[in-house]
Amino acid sequence: MQESGEIRFYLFDTIQLKAGERMNIQIPGDVGDLLNRLDANGFEAYAVGGCVRDSLLGLSPHDWDIATSALPEETERVFADRRVLETGLKHGTVTVLCGKIPVEVTTFRVDGAYSDGRHPDGVRFTESLKEDLSRRDFTVNAMAYRPETGLVDCFGGLNDLESRTIRCVGNPDLRYREDGLRILRAMRFASVLSFSLERETAESAVRNKALIDRIAAERIREEFVRLLCGPSAADILRKYRDIIAQFIPEIKPSFGFDQHNPHHSYDVWEHILSCVDAVEAEPVLRLTMFFHDIGKPYCFSQSPDGTGHFYGHPAKSAELTEQILTRLRFDKKTAGMVLALVRSHDLPLSPEERCLRKRLNRLGEKNLRLLLQVEEADAKSKSLLSNEYLETLRQVPGALDRVLEEGQCFRLSSLAVNGNDLIDAGIPKGDSVGKALAILLDAVVDGKCGNTKQELLEYIRKKGGTGWTSS
Ligand code: ATP
Ligand code: MG
């Protein structure tokens, strides 16, 4: 009785669409086979969550999740002939390998209490798909689909997709209190999909922002980076800046900070947002733009005529960025690149070969090319006065290609002498060799000395005098 009541409820609550009628859910063959196998063994099984959302939006899902009435051990039995990984047995998840695609198959479940505001204390399996959907975060993520049934949409997800709305399933205050990460997930989805947060979902997110304090740094980091890389990142950062300041309080002084400078049409925060928008949606670049001027308010001074200055702000920005990236547990490689770019973002670039060799020497080719993008975004986001510099920057890539093609020397490994050559020429073994190599590299990069063995030895002989040479 209970069960048939549940089924009737579905039919009432489910928007039944014939496959292909107004949506374009094309389940990959392998995933369809999994659904069929579960079905043939007497279990309900649906594609669920992000893959349904993305399919309805006409995007291609990057992975497929299946929700099923089968218990994990039953799923394992059904797929005894395949590779099955017990990825999250405790939470009802096993991963079935479909060729090379791993598909997560999770038993319908409801989460227990969330006493820590992060994880459910436990999960309870259920036979009800609706119960499973009700624990999911947003209506657009709480839809399920299988070809025979069509779309199962108990919470108005399809409507919200159509109006491009992120809305919590249920009461937002309660849902955020269960898991504070949902506040950042809401912002991330809005940024990535260019959606808006429904009013209560938004107001509650701001009201409950302190819940983020309980979330593991890694999870905050992941959502923050994805948010930053969305096409509507600037818009979402602007609307929810107080939530961002909850885990990056160092950004607060930038909000509305007047630069008192004719080169800047925007306050510091609006300039940052404009830069984020102006650069390619790639983590290192977006992070660099977000952080590049965070140190400005800490370095502000004014000349007697009232003009604002920010001497030393790249170093201050890098110092703050390092603290923040460490706190958010960024990997060394990403942090290293972002810090190098933040620290260098004000270094003048020009198509002049000497300048390019110097920059190559300091940054390497990869970071220099990134710096070029950083400086372009920065210049575009200042004022009309920076147009001239933009013009200069446009000439850099061609000049850089030439310097590299010609194999011009900008690092020790391409210097025409090595340590042994210098020792042979009379420089004593030890520190002096390293010092002399550094002097020579500097001279070559600077254009003061040609990169041939003869010229270099001659140069160092003159430089070092008798201090270095034994003769
Ligand atoms: P993407 O993979 O692009 O991030 P997604 O919607 O697939 O999007 P996942 O994090 O892979 O997101 O999670 C899969 C599904 O699990 C979601 O669609 C949602 O239904 C549910 N979900 C994930 N995280 C949460 C959470 N913190 N609270 C409630 N439901 C969640
Ligand atoms: Mg997913």
Side-chain angles (χ1 to χ4, degrees), residues 146-248:
R146 68 170 170 178
E148 302 75 24
T149 309
L151 188 71
V152 180
D153 175 21
C154 309
F155 303 101
L158 190 60
N159 253 333
D160 285 337
L161 263 193
E162 276 167 354
S163 63
R164 310 187 79 75
T165 303
I166 299 294
R167 180 195 308 268
C168 286
V169 172
N171 176 320
D173 283 343
L174 298 181
R175 301 314 307 282
Y176 292 144
R177 239 172 273 155
E178 285 172 354
D179 177 4
L181 189 73
R182 291 174 187 154
I183 294 174
L184 296 179
R185 283 175 60 89
M187 292 163 62
R188 183 257 287 187
F189 284 118
S191 168
V192 169
L193 301 171
S194 296
F195 279 28
S196 301
L197 268 56
E198 174 275 328
R199 202 168 60 108
E200 245 317 290
T201 299
E203 287 175 7
S204 171
V206 177
R207 200 162 53 234
N208 286 298
K209 61 184 189 298
L211 294 171
I212 296 171
D213 298 350
R214 303 194 211 166
I215 303 300
E218 291 81 354
R219 300 177 79 202
I220 296 177
R221 177 196 66 218
E222 198 175 313
E223 294 300 332
F224 178 55
V225 170
R226 295 179 75 178
L227 186 171
L228 272 184
C229 290
S232 296
D235 199 32
I236 296 301
L237 292 170
R238 180 181 294 110
K239 280 194 185 127
Y240 303 105
R241 65 184 200 182
D242 293 337
I243 299 179
I244 300 295
Q246 185 68 30
F247 58 95
I248 309 182

Side-chain angles (χ1 to χ4, degrees), residues 121-425:
D121 300 337
V123 302
R124 172 171 67 75
F125 297 137
T126 166
E127 296 200 352
S128 156
L129 169 65
K130 183 174 182 186
E131 260 194 306
D132 179 273
L133 295 177
S134 72
R135 69 158 171 99
R136 294 171 184 272
D137 45 9
F138 308 114
T139 60
V140 295
N141 287 348
M143 289 182 279
Y145 175 83
R146 68 170 170 178
E148 302 75 24
T149 309
L151 188 71
V152 180
D153 175 21
C154 309
F155 303 101
L158 190 60
N159 253 333
D160 285 337
L161 263 193
E162 276 167 354
S163 63
R164 310 187 79 75
T165 303
I166 299 294
R167 180 195 308 268
C168 286
V169 172
N171 176 320
D173 283 343
L174 298 181
R175 301 314 307 282
Y176 292 144
R177 239 172 273 155
E178 285 172 354
D179 177 4
L181 189 73
R182 291 174 187 154
I183 294 174
L184 296 179
R185 283 175 60 89
M187 292 163 62
R188 183 257 287 187
F189 284 118
S191 168
V192 169
L193 301 171
S194 296
F195 279 28
S196 301
L197 268 56
E198 174 275 328
R199 202 168 60 108
E200 245 317 290
T201 299
E203 287 175 7
S204 171
V206 177
R207 200 162 53 234
N208 286 298
K209 61 184 189 298
L211 294 171
I212 296 171
D213 298 350
R214 303 194 211 166
I215 303 300
E218 291 81 354
R219 300 177 79 202
I220 296 177
R221 177 196 66 218
E222 198 175 313
E223 294 300 332
F224 178 55
V225 170
R226 295 179 75 178
L227 186 171
L228 272 184
C229 290
S232 296
D235 199 32
I236 296 301
L237 292 170
R238 180 181 294 110
K239 280 194 185 127
Y240 303 105
R241 65 184 200 182
D242 293 337
I243 299 179
I244 300 295
Q246 185 68 30
F247 58 95
I248 309 182
E250 296 88 341
I251 196 71
K252 247 191 225 163
S254 306
F255 299 162
F257 195 98
D258 189 336
Q259 309 206 46
H260 296 277
N261 191 303
H263 289 277
H264 285 276
S265 325
Y266 296 127
D267 66 50
V268 175
W269 173 240
E270 279 301 323
H271 167 71
I272 287 174
L273 296 185
S274 170
C275 287
V276 166
D277 244 355
V279 86
E280 187 190 327
E282 188 279 325
V284 165
L285 288 170
R286 290 273 165 114
L287 285 162
T288 301
M289 292 335 302
F290 183 87
F291 288 115
H292 78 291
D293 275 351
I294 194 170
K296 266 192 164 178
Y298 303 80
C299 303
F300 183 61
S301 65
Q302 277 175 298
S303 43
D305 68 355
T307 307
H309 303 285
F310 300 94
Y311 299 119
H313 81 271
K316 182 66 188 174
S317 294
E319 178 195 320
L320 293 171
T321 305
E322 186 165 19
Q323 288 165 14
I324 296 162
L325 296 183
T326 306
R327 195 168 70 222
L328 293 179
R329 299 187 190 284
F330 271 82
D331 62 283
K332 283 214 168 71
K333 185 171 169 220
T334 305
M337 287 170 85
V338 172
L339 289 176
L341 292 169
V342 168
R343 208 174 281 122
S344 312
H345 80 263
D346 249 8
L347 280 182
L349 295 179
S350 87
E352 202 203 329
E353 292 185 347
R354 177 166 157 267
C355 168
L356 292 176
R357 286 194 302 266
K358 279 191 172 175
R359 302 297 177 247
L360 281 166
N361 171 253
R362 175 171 164 156
L363 293 157
E365 181 189 345
K366 190 169 174 204
N367 280 1
L368 178 55
R369 289 197 191 274
L370 292 175
L371 183 64
L372 194 58
Q373 297 190 55
V374 166
E375 295 206 14
E376 262 185 27
D378 198 8
K380 281 184 193 154
S381 307
K382 285 182 178 171
S383 76
L384 291 177
L385 293 174
S386 40
N387 276 356
E388 207 178 307
Y389 188 51
L390 264 179
E391 208 25 68
T392 307
L393 290 178
R394 296 215 168 94
Q395 298 166 34
V396 170
L400 181 57
D401 287 345
R402 277 194 300 282
V403 167
L404 293 167
E405 271 162 29
E406 285 170 16
Q408 293 191 26
C409 169
F410 57 86
R411 58 179 163 225
L412 271 185
S413 57
S414 38
L415 204 60
V417 294
N418 61 25
N420 289 334
D421 297 324
L422 296 184
I423 292 165
D424 290 347

